[in-house]
Amino acid sequence: MANRLNRLVCGGAFAIGLFAGVSAARADTTLLNVSYDPTREFYKAINEGFAAKWKAETGEDVTIEQSHGGSGKQARAVIDGLEADVVTLALAYDIDAIAQNSDLIDKDWQKRLPHNSSPYTSTIVFLVRKGNPKNIKDWPDLLKEDIQVITPNPKTSGGARWNYLAAWAYALQQSGGDEAKAKQFVGNLYSRVPVLDTGARGSTTTFAQRGLGDVLLTWENEAHLAVKQLGADKIEIVVPSASILAEPPVALVDSNVDDHETRKVAEAYLEYLYSPEAQEIAAKNFYRPTDQAVATKYKSQFPEIPLVTIADTFGGWQEAQKKHFADGGIFDQIYRPGQ
Amino acid sequence: METQTAGPATAAKVRRATTESPLVRWALIATGMLFIALVLVLPLISVFMEALSGGFATFFQAVGNADTWQAVRLTLLVAAIAVPLNVVFGLAAAWAVAKFDFRGKSLLVTLIDLPFSVSPVISGLIYVLLYGANGWFGPALKELDIKIIFNVTGLVLATVFVTFPFVARELIPLMQEQGRDEEEAAISLGASGWRTFWYVTLPNVAWGLLYGVLLCNARAMGEFGAVSVVSGHIRGLTNTMPLHVEILYNEYDFVGAFAVASLLAGLAIVTLVAKSLLEWRYGDRLAGGRKH
């Protein structure tokens, strides 16, 4: 027995040694891209493209690691010490949150790259069951008698906040700027939501895989990907008459790149996102490119509808967050689960 | 595991002890079986069915993926560290509780049970609050360049926390039942404390210990909530098998998700079979350990 326990202790010591080895085994150049939910496939392609380009230009190998989850949750993880070199989140507010709650990112991050640091944009569309059995064409149709709407929780998901604001902007426009009417519209909309998932991808699986609800509010790119993955014979996309210009921004995490000595390659990575090559990858993954030439090339893929911006309609993310999504904000007032 | 294996003799006794008609007894058994079939067996079968729905080639392709292998290795590594730590802790705690009287003994026993009653998500969050960048020890750890959260260390810590009652809980009743007589005899014959532990106490609880280790290991490999909070979800780096299943599922890779889930289920079944073999072979000696 003594022998057996000795072996056990040795085994434990060996395992601890092994594990020390694992934590030290970070390849020479490794970047960690902490991103939001629906970008997995897109960044998989981007990472391959960038690694090849970097190798050709500098001869160095670079590995980019990916982490995905609800945008707000991911920002929280970075604040708590997840050592991201770059963050590519769903909305500017979440990167602001990192800049405000830690000294990781320069407060003026959004001015450092073109287009408000958003290399690609998107919008919010509807996903319905094949043949559109409930005849959902535009925002008011979401409030028809028995329609159930699937959208994630705006407290944790970036996409969900865009969904909410798109609905609000539509109602505001329809009522000629009457906020009480907008509040009523959005309140009615959320009373039809049976499950609030924490992230956009969770909602997509709830709608498409588990078959809940009649319509899913989601990113345009996520809708296209769902149709591609799950089959055009099951679901189809409906583009409403108006929506919102969603700008998912990217930023360098200054303190972390300085600690890792990866500033140069991380900067090149973010700049690469604006290159024609990466813009093509974005368009192929159904993100709206900001590069004019690429945008023209893929024009047929992205229906032209009036898109309001967060800056014009809501006075920027800080304002929108405070008014709508903060504790006690309008979302808390209108969302009453189980009623 | 509460039901003792009933031999023919005990079955006869049960029959005499109850007055219910055979119909009622069969209805009860059928209800139990149906429930097990619906809640346990059917989902388990569906996992394997889904995993193999694309044929064996797709299954092996999904399992052979580099990220999947990393998840398997990480899961085994985390279990390989967490389980021995809990063996040492469990033995020490059980020995202290069963063989000595001291102030705060009942408090210690209560604390050992704490991880059973705390939600695993909370178990993960407490480590973020302690060791996260803004946690109590965050700045000091950064100063020393030690990473705990979003790292293998964090995964191990969370797993240790969640699984630490298993060994202790298995050993305490067993040791209490055995009493202190043998130890006292050993000491009166001149054996040192260490020698007594090594040659008297440990051999007496060896099988109970092994049983506790198996349960602890099964939970360590399957833990999701606590490790999800401290993992950071970096693919190929901090994803254990349960987390990897979620990722694959979210990527619409349903076959892949179920393939990894079936591997995990396979590991659990191996554990169960080992446990059953032990029970069958050493049932009498193990029985003491199962009385809680």
Side-chain angles (χ1 to χ4, degrees), chain A residues 36-52:
Chain A
Y36 61 110
D37 247 336
T39 57
R40 300 156 202 269
E41 295 75 11
F42 169 56
Y43 275 111
K44 225 183 222 174
I46 286 285
N47 294 345
E48 280 167 22
F50 177 72

Side-chain angles (χ1 to χ4, degrees), chain A residues 191-208:
Chain A
S191 69
R192 295 155 177 279
V193 179
V195 225
L196 278 182
D197 288 285
T198 55
R201 187 54 60 85
S203 280
T204 313
T205 5
T206 297
F207 176 77

Side-chain angles (χ1 to χ4, degrees), chain A residues 1-2 5 18-19 22-23 32 40 65-67 77 79-83 201 204-205 209 222 229-230 259, chain B residues 77 80-81 128 132-134 142 147 150-153 198 202 206 232-235 237 249-252 254:
Chain A
M1 185 49 67
L5 207 82
L18 194 71
F19 127 78
V22 167
S23 16
L32 174 58
R40 300 156 202 269
E65 281 153 3
Q66 292 173 250
S67 166
I79 295 168
D80 282 333
L82 181 58
E83 297 197 7
R201 187 54 60 85
T204 313
T205 5
Q209 224 21 56
E222 178 74 357
Q229 294 281 347
L230 303 164
D259 281 356
Chain B
L77 174 70
I81 301 166
V128 175
N134 300 307
K142 186 158 173 62
K147 292 169 203 161
F150 309 123
N151 194 314
V152 183
T153 320
W198 221 232
L202 198 57
H233 303 276
I234 310 170
R235 49 165 63 235
L237 212 65
Y249 188 79
N250 275 341
E251 287 180 354
Y252 304 115
F254 300 115

